[in-house]
Amino acid sequence: MLIVKKFGGSSVADKERIFNVANRILEDYKAGHEVVVVLSAQGDTTDDLLEKAKEISASPSKREMDMLLSTGEQQSVALMAMALETLGYPAVSLNAFQVGMTTSSTYGNARLRNIETDRIQAELDRKNIVLITGFQGVNRYDDFTTLGRGGSDTTAVALAAALKADKCEIFTDVDGVYTADPRVVKHARKLAEITYDEMLEFASLGAQVLHNRSVEMAKKYGVELVVLSSLTRAEGTIVKEETKVEKMLVSGVTADKNVARIAVVGLKDEPGKAFELFSLLSKKNINVDIILQSIGREGTKDISFTVGRDNLKEAVQSLEEHKERLDAQRIEVDEHVAKVSLVGAGMASNSGIATKMFEALYDAGINIKMISTSEIKISLLIDEKDANEATIAIHDAFKLSGEL
Amino acid sequence: MLIVKKFGGSSVADKERIFNVANRILEDYKAGHEVVVVLSAQGDTTDDLLEKAKEISASPSKREMDMLLSTGEQQSVALMAMALETLGYPAVSLNAFQVGMTTSSTYGNARLRNIETDRIQAELDRKNIVLITGFQGVNRYDDFTTLGRGGSDTTAVALAAALKADKCEIFTDVDGVYTADPRVVKHARKLAEITYDEMLEFASLGAQVLHNRSVEMAKKYGVELVVLSSLTRAEGTIVKEETKVEKMLVSGVTADKNVARIAVVGLKDEPGKAFELFSLLSKKNINVDIILQSIGREGTKDISFTVGRDNLKEAVQSLEEHKERLDAQRIEVDEHVAKVSLVGAGMASNSGIATKMFEALYDAGINIKMISTSEIKISLLIDEKDANEATIAIHDAFKLSGEL
């Protein structure tokens, strides 16, 4: 069996953790499997390098940032190879140049294009454990690129696809995907299985287990993922096309506090106003999530929408600058909101779910500010202070802990 | 004019020094020259990485050490590119893979074989300042290699040769080559010029200005070097095939305290004994310097020789193990010795020089333990405690400070 295993930066942060991971790797190797391992940069290495760059330049060029940052993963794989050799097993580390991991040209946020498998296959044939730098690639100018946040997950999935691996295991800080954040909901239950689409909703809703791009790629190439912890022996969560559990209407509840609401009040009720408004924001690369339009007074309309809090300042500034052109009366901002979402692949065919969700919040006395739905999720915008209570209420209403 | 400039690790140790070097680079660039810069890893980076490796493994594989260490230079060149861009000038950093800097296969101590100049030339044509990782290469297995101590000097010389550069400047902690260590000899004079051969003797005699291999390569390809300081504006020392100063019999005095003497006493006076003894040491890669053989008592002979102090333990151990096979009566060790040497290209044709050197030591009351001579140097082994006094006495005797 060929297994691809990915470990994040905190899993290889120091000597003890490196040897812990080395031993996990060896379990599979000793059992006769071929093992390809993807590693991120150690613990704070990337942050330290970012700090160094910041000292030199307020806005360093992205090409040189990638040249700088890609050293972090190279250090990780070299150290892990040494650890495996110390334990008496053959290993070889490879960076993006050595693997032939080609990407698009965009520095800082490149997309993987192709992986040459010859070198990896040759090292596996020599019975080596193969350690590969995550997060990085080489573009057509023969320069290092990096894949953006969560890039090492994508590297692992792409390798699993290219090598036709039998398994792709993503080791993280948590031991799987839960029906809700276990810190908020005491009886949250770990899911045995989840579909790619559900995982995508979970990821975009703030459950930072897997990066969206890696899940999209896994879906595209049909790579079955296992999410599990490097620190425990617990079985993880399998991410796949279709889950076996037929009746699983609802998988879990997530709460995202990185949300702010902006309302543009008193727009003239004319065609093209929404387009004008949102093209302003897309020019600044600001993602808008929930959008709500309502009729205002005297032939005007109001448009409310949510953005990530880190984009709030820039969004408001841009709107204020163009207030006159937009013909808006005023811009209102609410920073203290949260988005609570219910995710489930079986949701689309069952109309009672939204009602049950609203009822749960009504019973808890929580006011709903905005509503947004998709095929497999329902999101509600509420006051930030109610976020945990709402999560628990919804989790209970749908009996997600599995208790009767 | 195409100029290759090499800066060592201490020259780029922190933000201030990086910008200091960036400004030195820009002087030439602004004057319209093409500039290729070779950098070592920042300050303590290499030591930190060695420390990390040591935590993981008592004897890490050399392949993985090179994979680990080569990240240091890559960080330096990326940071320097950022600094130049911050100052408003175009720069691009390149590592060994990008340059196509091919070496022999030996990890940890590889020899440069070939440099592909296409990418560098293309970047120069785009008016970029080109920053290249020193100390590293890529071998025929497509793996990183490192060049061993002083490797970045060699990288710079090889680049100067491959690019047919007009100038190759090696920036170090000192501002040139002196007639003696200025910390020992107050009136030591900086040499304006020195030949490759003299520089080789200086380097191997403990004056750590340039690494031997880089001087050998400069000699082979006729690359004229300039040794100068990154911290001062002082003119440096030019290293070339022939110096203009006709009458310069003697260039300088060096003292090497990294010496220990071993005496193998009471060997049977038979053919092959010296061969047997020194092949033991060469098997351990221990370099032997001065050798002296003398007739002992009753048909025996003694062989004395010097080794670097870091090799002393291993050498003695190996000799003790084979004492019986060697038929030696005993091994004697003297750790407290130093080698004082007089170097000069004009020495060979002038027989009075050795005499004058012995006279200087006699006048100073310093005892000579061993003598070794070559075409361009005379080395004397003395007590370590006399090293500084001997250096001054010889420097004075030959009026090297240039004063009458």
Side-chain angles (χ1 to χ4, degrees):
Chain A
M1 194 151 82
L2 171 55
I3 305 172
V4 174
K5 298 166 103 73
K6 180 260 168 179
F7 296 89
S10 61
S11 300
V12 291
D14 55 34
K15 181 191 165 179
E16 281 66 34
R17 292 185 185 207
I18 286 175
F19 276 101
N20 169 51
V21 167
N23 283 309
R24 292 293 286 254
I25 294 169
L26 286 176
E27 285 171 24
D28 283 324
Y29 182 81
K30 287 179 192 167
H33 301 308
E34 296 182 309
V35 189
V36 172
V37 181
V38 175
L39 298 180
S40 302
Q42 285 188 289
D44 300 328
T45 304
T46 303
D47 288 339
D48 291 347
L49 291 173
L50 285 169
E51 191 53 43
K52 271 195 177 186
K54 226 170 145 187
E55 270 186 43
I56 301 285
S57 169
S59 59
S61 82
K62 286 182 176 171
R63 181 199 184 273
E64 298 301 335
M65 274 311 298
D66 286 357
M67 186 80 174
L68 183 68
L69 292 180
S70 58
T71 61
E73 289 78 29
Q74 191 170 319
Q75 294 178 359
S76 288
V77 290
L79 292 170
M80 186 61 75
M82 291 175 192
L84 288 164
E85 287 169 348
T86 299
L87 297 170
Y89 291 86
V92 65
S93 66
L94 299 173
N95 73 2
F97 270 94
Q98 293 168 313
V99 169
M101 180 97 51
T102 51
T103 71
S104 63
S105 323
T106 328
Y107 301 104
N109 198 23
R111 301 263 165 169
L112 276 176
R113 284 271 163 78
N114 189 45
I115 298 178
E116 286 161 28
T117 54
D118 301 10
R119 173 80 190 256
I120 301 172
Q121 201 55 64
E123 299 292 352
L124 289 173
D125 292 347
R126 281 184 211 113
K127 302 293 170 208
N128 276 321
I129 297 165
V130 184
L131 306 161
I132 298 178
T133 50
F135 183 64
Q136 65 182 239
V138 177
N139 69 11
R140 66 194 172 101
Y141 305 114
D142 230 21
D143 286 343
F144 274 112
T145 52
T146 61
L147 306 181
R149 280 195 80 80
S152 292
D153 291 349
T154 312
T155 308
V157 173
L159 276 166
L163 295 165
K164 298 184 175 52
D166 300 282
K167 231 186 195 177
C168 183
E169 300 177 336
I170 311 285
F171 290 83
T172 66
D173 294 344
V174 295
D175 62 356
V177 183
Y178 278 76
T179 52
D181 185 338
R183 289 167 303 184
V184 174
V185 180
K186 220 176 146 188
H187 298 292
R189 182 173 49 86
K190 188 167 62 188
L191 296 163
E193 296 184 337
I194 187 171
T195 67
Y196 296 125
D197 289 334
E198 289 172 314
M199 192 65 229
L200 284 170
E201 291 291 359
F202 267 102
S204 60
L205 293 171
Q208 301 287 344
V209 181
L210 280 177
H211 195 261
N212 261 3
R213 207 185 281 173
S214 64
V215 182
E216 281 161 15
M217 188 176 280
K219 184 182 175 178
K220 185 171 169 189
Y221 294 103
V223 174
E224 211 172 286
L225 300 177
V226 188
V227 177
L228 63 182
S229 163
S230 60
L231 300 171
T232 72
R233 292 279 149 186
E235 276 188 39
T237 298
I238 298 171
V239 189
K240 56 201 295 197
E241 187 57 46
E242 288 198 2
T243 56
K244 286 178 205 144
V245 192
E246 290 262 8
K247 297 280 180 195
M248 199 168 72
L249 297 175
V250 169
S251 321
V253 189
T254 67
D256 185 359
K257 294 180 182 172
N258 176 27
V259 187
R261 184 173 70 148
I262 300 175
V264 183
V265 179
L267 285 163
K268 268 207 184 130
D269 191 8
E270 288 170 357
K273 280 292 161 197
F275 168 71
E276 215 175 300
L277 197 164
F278 292 115
S279 62
L280 270 179
L281 299 179
S282 64
K283 260 183 219 153
K284 302 261 176 186
N285 272 317
I286 296 171
N287 279 325
V288 170
D289 187 17
I290 308 178
I291 300 174
L292 190 122
Q293 181 178 311
S294 54
I295 306 296
R297 301 170 180 213
E298 296 157 13
T300 66
K301 62 185 173 187
D302 306 339
I303 295 182
S304 308
F305 55 89
T306 60
V307 296
R309 277 190 202 161
D310 33 345
N311 286 325
L312 178 63
K313 203 175 143 192
E314 204 182 357
V316 171
Q317 194 183 336
S318 176
L319 291 171
E320 289 285 359
E321 275 169 21
H322 297 83
K323 207 165 79 176
E324 289 191 15
R325 222 190 69 202
L326 284 169
D327 252 339
Q329 289 169 7
R330 64 181 192 278
I331 318 287
E332 287 175 5
V333 170
D334 186 354
E335 262 194 274
H336 301 290
V337 290
K339 186 172 64 170
V340 177
S341 306
L342 188 64
V343 176
M347 205 175 264
S349 52
N350 196 314
S351 61
I353 291 186
T355 316
K356 201 170 182 178
M357 194 178 172
F358 300 154
E359 186 187 10
L361 291 201
Y362 174 74
D363 287 346
I366 294 167
N367 188 37
I368 300 169
K369 300 183 167 211
M370 290 171 97
I371 302 168
S372 157
T373 62
S374 82
E375 289 283 296
I376 63 163
K377 74 143 202 231
I378 302 168
S379 295
L380 307 176
L381 200 73
I382 57 174
D383 268 346
E384 186 181 4
K385 65 175 172 48
D386 297 329
N388 288 357
E389 203 187 339
T391 305
I392 295 167
I394 297 166
H395 198 268
D396 283 352
F398 287 91
K399 298 185 174 59
L400 291 176
S401 53
E403 294 160 15
L404 291 175
Chain B
M1 192 151 82
L2 171 55
I3 306 174
V4 174
K5 298 167 103 74
K6 180 258 167 180
F7 295 90
S10 61
S11 300
V12 292
D14 56 32
K15 182 190 164 179
E16 282 65 37
R17 292 185 185 205
I18 285 175
F19 276 101
N20 170 50
V21 167
N23 283 310
R24 291 294 286 253
I25 293 170
L26 285 177
E27 285 171 23
D28 283 325
Y29 183 79
K30 287 180 193 168
H33 302 306
E34 296 182 309
V35 188
V36 173
V37 180
V38 174
L39 299 180
S40 303
Q42 285 187 286
D44 300 328
T45 304
T46 303
D47 288 338
D48 291 348
L49 291 172
L50 285 169
E51 190 55 41
K52 273 196 178 187
K54 226 171 146 186
E55 269 186 42
I56 301 283
S57 169
S59 59
S61 83
K62 287 183 176 170
R63 181 197 183 275
E64 298 302 335
M65 274 310 299
D66 286 356
M67 186 79 173
L68 183 68
L69 293 181
S70 57
T71 61
E73 290 78 30
Q74 192 170 319
Q75 294 177 359
S76 289
V77 290
L79 292 170
M80 185 61 74
M82 291 175 192
L84 288 164
E85 287 170 349
T86 300
L87 297 171
Y89 291 86
V92 65
S93 66
L94 298 173
N95 74 2
F97 270 94
Q98 293 167 314
V99 169
M101 180 98 51
T102 51
T103 70
S104 64
S105 323
T106 328
Y107 302 104
N109 198 23
R111 302 262 165 170
L112 277 175
R113 284 273 163 78
N114 188 44
I115 299 177
E116 286 161 28
T117 54
D118 303 8
R119 174 79 190 259
I120 302 171
Q121 200 55 62
E123 299 293 352
L124 289 173
D125 291 347
R126 282 184 210 113
K127 302 293 170 210
N128 277 321
I129 297 165
V130 183
L131 306 161
I132 297 177
T133 50
F135 182 62
Q136 65 182 239
V138 178
N139 70 11
R140 66 195 173 101
Y141 305 112
D142 229 20
D143 287 342
F144 273 112
T145 51
T146 61
L147 306 180
R149 282 195 79 81
S152 293
D153 291 348
T154 312
T155 307
V157 173
L159 276 167
L163 295 166
K164 298 184 176 49
D166 301 283
K167 229 186 196 179
C168 183
E169 299 177 335
I170 310 285
F171 289 83
T172 66
D173 294 344
V174 296
D175 62 356
V177 183
Y178 278 76
T179 52
D181 185 339
R183 289 167 302 184
V184 175
V185 180
K186 222 176 146 187
H187 298 293
R189 182 172 49 85
K190 188 166 63 187
L191 296 163
E193 295 183 338
I194 187 172
T195 68
Y196 296 124
D197 289 334
E198 288 172 315
M199 193 64 228
L200 284 170
E201 292 291 358
F202 266 103
S204 60
L205 293 171
Q208 302 287 343
V209 181
L210 279 178
H211 194 262
N212 260 3
R213 207 185 283 173
S214 64
V215 182
E216 281 162 16
M217 188 176 281
K219 184 182 174 179
K220 185 172 170 189
Y221 294 103
V223 175
E224 210 171 286
L225 300 177
V226 189
V227 177
L228 63 182
S229 163
S230 59
L231 300 171
T232 72
R233 293 277 149 189
E235 276 187 42
T237 298
I238 298 170
V239 189
K240 57 201 294 199
E241 187 58 45
E242 287 197 5
T243 55
K244 285 180 207 143
V245 191
E246 290 262 12
K247 296 281 179 197
M248 199 167 72
L249 297 175
V250 170
S251 319
V253 188
T254 68
D256 185 1
K257 294 180 183 173
N258 176 27
V259 187
R261 182 171 72 147
I262 300 175
V264 182
V265 178
L267 286 161
K268 270 208 184 127
D269 192 10
E270 289 170 356
K273 281 291 161 195
F275 168 70
E276 216 173 302
L277 197 165
F278 292 115
S279 62
L280 271 180
L281 299 179
S282 65
K283 260 183 217 152
K284 302 260 176 188
N285 273 316
I286 297 171
N287 280 325
V288 170
D289 187 18
I290 308 178
I291 300 173
L292 189 122
Q293 181 178 310
S294 55
I295 307 295
R297 302 171 180 210
E298 296 158 14
T300 65
K301 61 184 173 189
D302 307 338
I303 295 183
S304 308
F305 55 90
T306 60
V307 296
R309 276 189 203 164
D310 33 346
N311 286 326
L312 178 62
K313 204 175 142 192
E314 203 182 357
V316 171
Q317 195 182 337
S318 177
L319 292 171
E320 288 286 357
E321 276 168 21
H322 296 83
K323 207 165 79 174
E324 289 191 17
R325 221 191 71 202
L326 283 170
D327 254 337
Q329 288 170 5
R330 65 180 191 280
I331 317 288
E332 288 175 4
V333 170
D334 187 355
E335 264 195 272
H336 302 288
V337 290
K339 185 172 65 170
V340 177
S341 306
L342 188 65
V343 176
M347 206 175 267
S349 52
N350 196 315
S351 61
I353 291 186
T355 316
K356 199 169 183 178
M357 194 177 171
F358 301 152
E359 186 188 9
L361 291 201
Y362 173 74
D363 288 345
I366 295 167
N367 187 37
I368 299 169
K369 299 181 168 212
M370 289 170 95
I371 301 168
S372 157
T373 61
S374 81
E375 289 283 296
I376 63 165
K377 73 142 202 233
I378 302 168
S379 294
L380 307 178
L381 200 74
I382 59 175
D383 268 346
E384 186 180 2
K385 65 173 171 50
D386 297 329
N388 289 354
E389 202 187 338
T391 305
I392 295 167
I394 296 167
H395 198 269
D396 284 352
F398 287 91
K399 299 187 174 57
L400 291 177
S401 53
E403 293 161 14
L404 290 176

